[in-house]
Amino acid sequence: MTHAMLKGSNVPLEATTVRAVLRWTPGQGVPDVDASALLLGPDGRVRSDEDFVFYNQPRHPSGKVWRLGKKRGADGLTDTIQTDLAGVEPGVGQILLVASADGVTFDRVRDLRIMLYDAAAAEGDPLAYFDIKPETGQETALICGELYRRGEGWKFRALGEGYSDGLRGLATDFGISVDESEAAAAPQPASPPEVSQPLPPEQPTTTVPPQPAYGYPQQPPPTQPAYGYPQPTSQPAMANTGYGYPPPVTAAAQPQGFQLPPQGPQFIGR
């Protein structure tokens, strides 16, 4: 007989090994759902990070709780957690069965249901099922139900409790250590491909003459003659006649006792 469960209801389990199957209807815009489990001690928290069974750690060290993985069936996609209830360590009193949607809210997940099967029966109807309705639709992780000890046996309770901060936030609440540096590291967008730009045409090289050292006279540049002025006599090669002026006369070229006549008009006083 299959039990159709309501939120908060429970059912005793006679099976010693059970499969908890999450099922949803895929479609455009529907996120992928992952199943995971947390094994809790008497204080309602994990004993260590090894008590977290999920996609990066699919099997508990005890070998009694493990993730079977996803399958596509006629009714939709499934992800499954299997538990050997008879072999679970005495220090574990609860096993939370969790669904997460990797940052996408559950208002976009259609027909989410958890079904509990007797793993010893190859075929058959589920022992119980629970249709999960998110309370706000903004949840990114849900505790779908729990397996818990009651006396010498186990029971299953339907929960449907949501978390808006995803699987990381849910796991942290139950004592899982989260690497803060990893949590703070946001994924970086891929760098755009580099585009090779053509090099600009090579420009002719211009030689810059060295600047004079301070405290030393500059060397006179070999420039063209300055128009209207005689060139310095220290450069004989450039001592051509300046336009409009007579060339300088050296002392060696003047005869003994020769004097230059007065220049310009002469004014004789009367």
Side-chain angles (χ1 to χ4, degrees), residues 124-207:
D125 295 331
L127 303 174
Y129 70 86
F130 171 45
D131 290 325
I132 306 163
K133 305 293 183 185
E135 293 181 350
T136 68
Q138 298 307 301
E139 296 89 346
T140 52
L142 291 166
I143 303 175
C144 302
E146 65 172 341
L147 302 167
Y148 65 99
R149 291 185 188 272
R150 182 61 68 200
E152 297 298 321
W154 288 82
K155 285 188 170 185
F156 172 73
R157 178 181 288 120
L159 291 176
E161 297 176 358
Y163 282 73
S164 60
D165 49 357
L167 186 61
R168 184 183 298 275
L170 186 154
T172 302
D173 270 5
F174 289 95
I176 297 294
S177 301
V178 175
D179 186 347
E180 295 298 333
S181 61
E182 179 183 344
Q188 299 298 321
S191 301
E194 295 184 1
V195 179
S196 299
Q197 298 292 340
L199 294 175
E202 185 176 356
Q203 300 296 325
T205 303
T206 302
T207 303

Side-chain angles (χ1 to χ4, degrees), residues 30-35 55 98-109 139-142 166-167:
V30 178
D32 201 18
V33 177
D34 293 302
Y55 44 82
V98 175
S100 59
D102 194 22
V104 181
T105 54
F106 269 93
D107 59 350
R108 296 170 59 181
V109 179
E139 296 89 346
T140 52
L142 291 166
L167 186 61

Side-chain angles (χ1 to χ4, degrees), residues 36-41 43-57 59-61 94 96 98 143 163 165-180 182-183:
S36 54
L38 286 92
L39 287 69
L40 308 182
D43 59 352
R45 295 171 66 83
V46 298
R47 299 163 301 171
S48 72
D49 289 354
E50 292 180 337
D51 284 342
F52 186 22
V53 176
F54 67 118
Y55 44 82
N56 282 342
Q57 186 171 270
R59 179 176 287 269
H60 190 264
Q94 296 169 267
L96 301 183
V98 175
I143 303 175
Y163 282 73
D165 49 357
L167 186 61
R168 184 183 298 275
L170 186 154
T172 302
D173 270 5
F174 289 95
I176 297 294
S177 301
V178 175
D179 186 347
E180 295 298 333
E182 179 183 344

Side-chain angles (χ1 to χ4, degrees), residues 208-229:
V208 180
Q211 299 297 322
Y214 293 102
Y216 292 90
Q218 301 185 28
Q219 295 297 327
T223 59
Q224 298 296 325
Y227 296 102
Y229 293 90

Side-chain angles (χ1 to χ4, degrees), residues 224-240:
Q224 298 296 325
Y227 296 102
Y229 293 90
Q231 297 301 309
T233 57
S234 60
Q235 299 182 19
M238 300 298 295
N240 296 321

